[in-house]
Amino acid sequence: ALRAPQVAELIGTATRQAFVNIVELCLAERVDALLLAGDLYDGDQTSMTTARFLAAQLGRLDQAGIAVHIIRGNHDALSRITRELVLPDRVHVYRDQAQAIALPRPDGAVPVVLHGLSFRDHRAEASRLGDYRPPVADAVNIGLMHTSLGGAAGHDPYAPVASADLGRWGFDYWALGHIHKPMKVGKDCYRYCGTPLACSVSEAGQQKGIILAELGE
């Protein structure tokens, strides 16, 4: 930073610019919902600058009729921002008890139900799969979960669960958080999108981004 202030500025604003880019993509694609599977920020974040930035970006999605569904992971479990912010109507932050929320859908469209729960502590040594509600009949069921699955290099065990158990739960899709690189889980359509940009030097060269999913027949 002392040798190249412009590099310091780039790095210092990179995470916010990544979030702006995600919001811009949602608006351009006219998506129905943005799913955030945990670790929206790092640690016990209390910065009101961060809070105002987040509220402004979520407000852009709300004005466009786009729902936002957020679960808290191990990094942001203790953060007060999502508890204290007055969030737009279309933004839902899941509690530490499982909830099933139906997305608004056009008349005659197949119902879509989102399932999720947040963690209130930065440690979660036991699986939380059994706390999720069963799939809703005659609907597309999508789960949000923050988990290390059976364990991953460089990650502490966090809400461990076997990928086969996820498949047996009966959801059509699991949006998974915690692992930093994109990864398909098992034979089913369950995925980690990874982080939208590198979080450390060790992640240099990894593919980064988000998942843009389309609901088909």
Side-chain angles (χ1 to χ4, degrees):
L2 294 176
R3 292 193 300 269
Q6 68 275 18
V7 175
E9 173 68 16
L10 175 65
I11 294 174
T13 60
T15 54
R16 292 189 183 184
Q17 186 57 52
F19 195 75
V20 169
N21 292 347
I22 292 170
V23 170
E24 295 284 356
L25 178 65
C26 289
L27 295 172
E29 295 286 342
R30 299 181 180 179
V31 301
D32 295 293
L34 170 64
L35 310 183
L36 301 173
D39 293 350
L40 182 56
Y41 15 73
D42 197 9
D44 190 13
Q45 178 65 252
T46 59
S47 166
M48 288 311 298
T49 302
T50 300
R52 286 195 299 269
F53 166 79
L54 180 63
Q57 295 303 315
L58 296 179
R60 296 176 64 198
L61 296 175
D62 181 70
Q63 291 175 6
I66 296 171
V68 181
H69 285 246
I70 302 171
I71 60 173
R72 294 197 303 269
N74 56 309
H75 282 273
D76 56 0
L78 302 178
S79 176
R80 297 202 301 266
I81 287 182
T82 47
R83 291 198 291 264
E84 295 181 357
L85 269 180
V86 177
L87 297 171
D89 291 340
R90 292 182 178 86
V91 177
H92 183 79
V93 181
Y94 288 82
R95 303 189 297 267
D96 60 344
Q97 295 179 343
Q99 296 172 277
I101 308 294
L103 278 181
R105 298 280 286 161
D107 291 341
V110 175
V112 175
V113 180
L114 297 175
H115 301 256
L117 59 79
S118 290
F119 292 89
R120 53 181 164 184
D121 194 356
H122 67 282
R123 297 182 63 85
E125 297 176 354
S127 172
R128 296 296 304 273
L129 178 61
D131 295 329
Y132 280 74
R133 298 184 183 184
V136 175
D138 301 320
V140 173
N141 290 268
I142 298 173
L144 288 85
M145 179 181 285
H146 202 79
T147 176
S148 61
L149 288 180
H155 293 271
D156 294 331
Y158 191 78
V161 62
S163 59
D165 291 336
L166 289 179
R168 284 191 287 266
W169 199 253
F171 287 177
D172 299 285
Y173 182 80
W174 283 96
L176 302 174
H178 190 64
I179 306 301
H180 288 194
K181 62 182 180 180
M183 187 169 67
K184 184 177 179 181
V185 177
K187 298 179 181 179
D188 299 298
C189 193
Y190 311 149
R191 293 183 183 272
Y192 286 98
C193 68
T195 51
L197 77 169
C199 295
S200 70
V201 173
S202 65
E203 296 179 23
Q206 288 185 9
Q207 180 184 2
K208 295 295 177 181
I210 66 170
I211 291 174
L212 180 63
E214 183 172 348
L215 183 65
E217 296 296 330

